[in-house]
Amino acid sequence: GAGVSQSPSNKVTEKGKDVELRCDPISGHTALYWYRQSLGQGLEFLIYFQGNSAPDKSGLPSDRFSAERTGGSVSTLTIQRTQQEDSAVYLCASTRLAADTQYFGPGTRLTVL
Amino acid sequence: AQSVTQLDSQVPVFEEAPVELRCNYSSSVSVYLFWYVQYPNQGLQLLLKYLSGSTLVKGINGFEAEFNKSQTSFHLRKPSVHISDTAEYFCAVSANAGNNRKLIWGLGTSLAVHP
C-alpha cells in the first residue's frame, strides 16, 4: 500500500513568512509524529498525535510552531514568522497506536532565506 | 527522560573491513532500541530494532546489533562493509509502554566506505 507522503518536498521562503507543511499518514495509522532534522541539532521530536489530539507537544521549539490533525488522517505543521534557524528537513512518521515501528515520509526540506 | 549518545560522528573504513558504530543510551524507563539508516538524498529506513528476547538482533544488509543492558549500549556491527553502505546511521530509543512512542535520537554517525 501507499506509504507516508509529505508535501511540498521542498519549500523556500523568506524570513517572516508563514509556511504550512503537510503529512498524509498510512491509512489506519492512529499515531502520527513530526520530527525535525537540522544541521548541528540532529533529529528532534516535535509533536505526537493520537487521533486528532496532541497529548505531547513538548518538542515544539516556540509558539511560532503549531500543528493540527483532522479526520484522524492528514496533519499540517504550521510555522509562523519563519526564521533562518527554522531551516531544516521536517519529517513525519505514522504507526498504529502503541506499535513499535514508525514509518517515515520523505520529508519536506524548508529553506528560510 | 531518555537520551542517546553516538560516540563517533564520522567513521571512515575501507571496503570489506569490519565496522562498529557505537551507541549508548540513558533512560529512566524500559526502552525499545532502533538503528535507522539514511542513504544520501534519501529518507530514513529502519535497519533493525531490539524489543525483547535475544540481545543479538539481525537487520537488513548484513547488519547486526547487540543490546547490553548493564552497559546501556546498542552497538551496530557489520563484518564486511561495501561501498554501498556509505550513509548516515542513527541510533534511537523509545519508551516501550504507553501510547506515545516518540523516538529520541542520537546525532548520527556518518559511515564512509572507501575502496
Side-chain angles (χ1 to χ4, degrees):
Chain A
V4 178
S5 61
Q6 294 184 245
S7 61
S9 54
N10 280 284
K11 176 72 176 179
V12 180
T13 190
E14 294 180 348
K15 178 181 173 181
K17 300 284 190 182
D18 297 353
V19 296
E20 284 190 352
L21 312 180
R22 177 186 169 108
C23 171
D24 283 89
I26 294 172
S27 178
H29 280 188
T30 307
L32 186 148
Y33 302 81
W34 283 96
Y35 298 91
R36 179 170 72 172
Q37 184 175 21
S38 55
L39 288 175
Q41 299 295 323
L43 279 151
E44 305 170 279
F45 163 78
L46 296 178
I47 187 169
Y48 159 63
F49 282 95
Q50 182 174 312
N52 292 335
S53 65
D56 188 350
K57 304 179 183 179
S58 62
L60 294 178
S62 75
D63 59 7
R64 296 186 295 105
F65 287 71
S66 63
E68 65 175 11
R69 190 177 183 195
T70 56
S73 181
V74 172
S75 177
T76 303
L77 177 68
T78 301
I79 309 173
Q80 295 179 309
R81 305 181 303 281
T82 53
Q83 303 294 312
Q84 288 183 334
E85 61 262 27
D86 299 335
S87 295
V89 176
Y90 290 82
L91 295 164
C92 173
S94 73
T95 188
R96 298 191 187 281
L97 196 63
D100 55 81
T101 301
Q102 296 178 24
Y103 297 86
F104 283 83
T108 294
R109 180 175 297 278
L110 175 66
T111 303
V112 182
L113 301 177
Chain B
Q2 297 108 35
S3 67
V4 177
T5 303
Q6 290 186 243
L7 296 153
D8 308 292
S9 60
Q10 296 183 348
V11 173
V13 65
F14 287 109
E15 193 174 18
E16 297 183 7
V19 71
E20 177 180 81
L21 307 183
R22 297 179 292 168
C23 173
N24 285 88
Y25 71 94
S26 67
S27 177
S28 56
V29 299
S30 295
V31 296
Y32 290 152
L33 296 147
F34 304 84
W35 276 98
Y36 281 83
V37 59
Q38 188 173 38
Y39 297 104
N41 300 313
Q42 294 189 29
L44 285 165
Q45 182 179 357
L46 180 65
L47 202 54
L48 50 77
K49 60 187 178 184
Y50 173 79
L51 305 181
S52 65
S54 173
T55 56
L56 183 64
V57 293
K58 295 187 183 297
I60 60 172
N61 301 337
F63 283 92
E64 63 182 31
E66 186 156 19
F67 169 58
N68 187 318
K69 188 173 182 179
S70 62
Q71 297 186 5
T72 60
S73 67
F74 191 54
H75 300 334
L76 181 70
R77 302 186 183 99
K78 186 170 183 177
S80 176
V81 295
H82 300 239
I83 296 287
S84 59
D85 292 323
T86 294
E88 191 82 15
Y89 291 79
F90 295 95
C91 182
V93 302
S94 74
N96 67 4
N99 291 327
N100 186 355
R101 303 298 177 92
K102 65 183 176 186
L103 290 165
I104 306 301
W105 303 85
L107 290 179
T109 297
S110 178
L111 176 66
V113 182
H114 302 284

